[in-house]
Amino acid sequence: MAVSVEYVTRETATNLWRNRLMTVAAVLTVAVSLSLVGVSLLLRQGVAQATTQWQNGVNVLVFLDAVPAAPAAPTAQQHTIYQQLVQLPYVKSCLYRDQAYDLGEAQRLLDPSAASVLNVASTPASWRCVLSQPSEAQAIARQFNGFPGVQEVQYPQKQIRTMETVVHVLDAVFLVLAVILLLSAAVLILNTIRLAIFARRREVSVMRLVGATNWFIRIPFMFEGIVQGLAGALVAVLVTVALHVVLDHFAGHNASSLLYRMRTPAGDVATTAILVGMIGVVIGAAGSAIGIRRFLES
Amino acid sequence: MIRFENVTKTYKAGTVALQDVSIDIDKGEFVFLVGPSGSGKTTFIRLLLREETPDQGRIWVAGREIAHLSPWRIPYLRRNIGCVFQDFRLLPNRTVFENVAFALEVIGRPRHVIEGQVPQVLDLVGLAGKRDSLPGELSGGEQQRVAVARAFVNRPLLLIADEPTGNLDPATSQGIMRLLDRINRTGTTVVIATHDAGIVDQMRRRVVELHRGELVRDQERGVYGYGT
Ligand SMILES: Nc1ncnc2c1ncn2[C@@H]1O[C@H](COP(=O)(O)OP(=O)(O)O)[C@@H](O)[C@H]1O
Ligand SMILES: [Mg+2]
């Protein structure tokens, strides 16, 4: 039994045009909700990205008391600290950064007015350690804070945690909003389908009478919902990709900025786009399926 | 072609619409189903189309028992039955040609079949010249001819009509009856539910009478009222 492409296209287009206001409302709702989904997926990927970058790099920074002479090599006391560090089971290796290097880094990270008060004599040198078990950073920090010659122990996980908390909250808010909006989108689609069926009740009753199969009757309405879901998803994909491009632009090339670290590879963006598209189709299909069940059963 | 075997149909409200009705209608017959309003004629037709199922008894159409037909087969049953109603049931924003073509289109007939069969049947009902008119531009009689064309375009085994002349004046009604008679002579079984005594008396065909859901008369070459 042939359902011609021409027939389905024509009927679907007519239905969408007749209900264009409802259609626009449904498409916009899908677009907004799926944009939230897309952005929150990008955020997640960004956090994962930033976390791995940090964790593959340095896990613990042991800032040492500044030595006014700013030597290029560790002092004897600093060397002792190094030996204590590397004998710990989880410490893989530690690298010395002298005061001049740390000053340079601070000047890059801080804004110019804050950086201008720094000088090489008062900037601490540091041991930068890579751990085989990044989660041990906190324990090492506890152990070495207050150690003679140690100014402060920092571990980026602290920053990661804060960032993760912020992002998780955002994520949860976005997802709850997205789910609520997706449900309203499904209801809106259901409603446009109901209107379309109502507008075509004569056609539908004649179709029944002359022996059109249920699938033949349903397919144009089904397509109507799917087209709406897909259209909303396309808008959402555009929004997500645009946001990604804009963030990428602002991230610039500053390797230590948060945005830069959160940059997601294009492949991940594509995956997000595909996922968003699929959710759009599912929402459209679900909305119209319920609409058809409720209003088209004989 | 049609067989009812002890069919009883009661609606939810408790109205008994058909009571223990048994009847046989052979292929190629022309049958009037008569009786006053509420006697069960429409219910008889709805059972044939499987728009309703009987509470008791069995119904065969074209050799197939339909009371227990699985739902997905119902469309295929209906493709064998052409149907005409008092209110025509045309689609107002489609032309005569499109209305008739619609019946073929929605059962998946290819374009070239539609292009071939629709003009033929429009010719048969005498509306070849009005193929591009909208139903609103036609008289009641012409609209009913379009409905007959739509019912017949797929060459069904069975054509049923529920009060086909209910909205038409006697002269126009006669024209419709002549058309149904011509269709019957192509070998199509025709069943007409009506309380229009004029057309029944004029045609002198088999008359089956219902009264309060019971079959009270089955007569060859009968008239509307009792007796001959
Ligand atoms: N859908 C329905 N629900 C309840 N009662 C109905 C329904 N259809 C018909 N009836 C009742 O069944 C009886 C037979 O109706 P019907 O078959 O329409 O008779 P006819 O077509 O001869 O006028 C009537 O009493 C009518 O009120
Ligand atoms: Mg009736």
Side-chain angles (χ1 to χ4, degrees):
Chain A
M1 113 115 253
V3 180
S4 79
V5 176
E6 185 208 330
Y7 172 84
V8 173
T9 315
R10 173 161 43 83
E11 298 303 296
T12 306
T14 315
N15 285 349
L16 287 170
W17 179 246
R18 276 196 197 168
N19 292 326
R20 51 196 175 274
L21 270 181
M22 283 294 296
T23 298
V24 168
V27 168
L28 283 182
T29 315
V30 174
V32 171
S33 50
L34 285 182
S35 299
L36 287 174
V37 171
V39 168
S40 111
L41 285 175
L42 273 188
L43 268 179
R44 282 179 179 209
Q45 286 165 352
V47 172
Q49 192 72 18
T51 311
T52 34
Q53 271 195 20
W54 255 311
Q55 292 189 341
N56 288 343
V58 171
N59 307 112
V60 175
L61 288 93
V62 180
F63 286 106
L64 305 165
D65 286 336
V67 179
T75 62
Q77 188 193 36
Q78 290 171 345
H79 196 72
T80 315
I81 294 169
Y82 169 76
Q83 279 170 337
Q84 304 246 7
L85 276 169
V86 291
Q87 87 190 26
L88 289 172
Y90 296 116
V91 176
K92 269 205 284 199
S93 62
C94 292
L95 178 74
Y96 184 71
R97 291 296 190 195
D98 62 22
Q99 298 186 193
Y101 179 94
D102 280 357
L103 176 67
E105 192 181 75
Q107 280 167 340
R108 257 186 294 123
L109 286 179
L110 300 175
D111 65 289
S113 59
S116 65
V117 302
L118 297 175
N119 61 59
V120 72
S122 62
T123 307
S126 56
W127 286 110
R128 303 190 172 203
C129 302
V130 176
L131 306 186
S132 56
Q133 194 74 51
S135 56
E136 289 302 308
Q138 198 177 359
I140 293 169
R142 220 179 292 125
Q143 190 180 337
F144 281 83
N145 264 328
F147 205 81
V150 172
Q151 191 193 57
E152 191 199 5
V153 183
Q154 282 189 4
Y155 53 105
Q157 262 167 334
K158 219 195 290 181
Q159 279 165 272
I160 295 176
R161 289 251 166 74
T162 322
M163 183 178 79
E164 274 180 339
T165 317
V166 171
V167 168
H168 280 328
V169 170
L170 264 182
D171 213 42
V173 171
F174 277 18
L175 280 189
V176 167
L177 267 179
V179 166
I180 293 172
L181 283 171
L182 277 181
L183 286 179
S184 359
V187 171
L188 277 171
I189 289 175
L190 185 152
N191 215 29
T192 56
I193 301 303
R194 188 180 71 103
L195 283 179
I197 292 173
F198 185 74
R200 307 207 137 223
R201 62 198 181 286
R202 279 166 184 273
E203 270 98 335
V204 169
S205 79
V206 171
M207 285 164 115
R208 285 237 164 78
L209 189 69
V210 300
T213 56
N214 271 336
W215 275 114
F216 198 97
I217 298 173
R218 287 172 186 178
I219 279 176
F221 298 114
M222 203 73 204
F223 260 71
E224 186 185 345
I226 292 175
V227 166
Q228 290 175 355
L230 202 56
L234 279 181
V235 174
V237 165
L238 287 180
V239 168
T240 310
V241 169
L243 190 74
H244 176 252
V245 170
V246 167
L247 286 184
D248 229 29
H249 177 76
F250 279 111
H253 299 287
N254 184 347
S256 51
S257 84
L258 187 61
L259 277 179
Y260 187 85
R261 285 171 190 273
M262 281 179 70
R263 279 178 327 153
T264 27
D268 285 358
V269 179
T271 315
T272 304
I274 291 169
L275 194 66
V276 162
M278 285 192 322
I279 298 177
V281 171
V282 168
I283 285 294
S288 50
I290 298 169
I292 288 166
R293 275 185 69 118
R294 280 186 51 192
F295 305 111
L296 212 53
E297 291 306 308
S298 38
Chain B
M1 176 58 55
I2 300 172
R3 173 185 215 126
F4 274 52
E5 203 176 83
N6 307 107
V7 172
T8 295
K9 173 71 192 174
T10 311
Y11 285 109
K12 278 193 211 85
T15 331
V16 181
L18 284 182
Q19 175 79 51
D20 198 26
V21 170
S22 297
I23 190 175
D24 267 300
I25 296 173
D26 289 336
K27 186 166 174 10
E29 274 200 271
F30 191 112
V31 180
F32 284 112
L33 193 61
V34 303
S37 272
S39 56
K41 306 181 294 294
T42 297
T43 302
F44 186 96
I45 284 171
R46 289 172 59 80
L47 286 168
L48 276 181
L49 289 169
R50 194 37 160 74
E51 286 179 355
E52 297 284 351
T53 47
D55 304 319
Q56 282 165 42
R58 293 195 288 177
I59 301 171
W60 284 265
V61 173
R64 171 159 252 147
E65 210 282 310
I66 63 158
H68 305 98
L69 204 61
S70 48
W72 71 268
R73 285 185 196 272
I74 295 174
Y76 301 95
L77 164 74
R78 292 184 186 158
R79 288 177 194 191
N80 290 321
I81 307 177
C83 219
V84 176
F85 298 94
Q86 179 172 1
D87 55 0
F88 319 138
R89 301 200 190 170
L90 301 176
L91 303 174
N93 46 7
R94 293 183 196 240
T95 65
V96 167
F97 183 94
E98 288 166 349
N99 263 282
V100 178
F102 189 72
L104 293 177
E105 196 178 20
V106 301
I107 60 172
R109 292 287 183 269
R111 198 81 233 159
H112 69 269
V113 171
I114 297 175
E115 300 288 350
Q117 269 174 278
V118 176
Q120 228 176 1
V121 80
L122 286 180
D123 222 25
L124 175 80
V125 302
L127 285 176
K130 303 250 176 180
R131 55 172 281 162
D132 295 323
S133 307
L134 292 172
E137 299 161 359
L138 302 178
S139 71
E142 287 169 331
Q143 289 186 47
Q144 194 60 298
R145 283 169 186 275
V146 179
V148 171
R150 183 179 65 192
F152 191 59
V153 69
N154 194 32
R155 305 293 150 135
L157 301 166
L158 173 63
L159 193 132
I160 57 187
D162 193 359
E163 313 275 7
T165 60
N167 281 341
L168 305 176
D169 61 68
T172 314
S173 299
Q174 266 189 28
I176 294 292
M177 292 317 296
R178 273 200 298 276
L179 178 57
L180 293 177
D181 185 44
R182 268 179 75 187
I183 285 174
N184 174 241
R185 276 191 262 121
T186 66
T188 308
T189 311
V190 175
V191 176
I192 300 169
T194 185
H195 59 244
D196 181 345
I199 60 170
V200 178
D201 293 347
Q202 172 213 340
M203 301 288 288
R204 306 287 301 205
R205 296 298 194 102
R206 181 176 173 189
V207 173
V208 173
E209 181 169 349
L210 291 172
H211 188 74
R212 293 193 180 155
E214 288 185 62
L215 199 155
V216 294
R217 174 167 64 122
D218 185 353
Q219 187 177 25
E220 290 301 322
R221 304 181 60 74
V223 291
Y224 189 85
Y226 272 104
T228 33

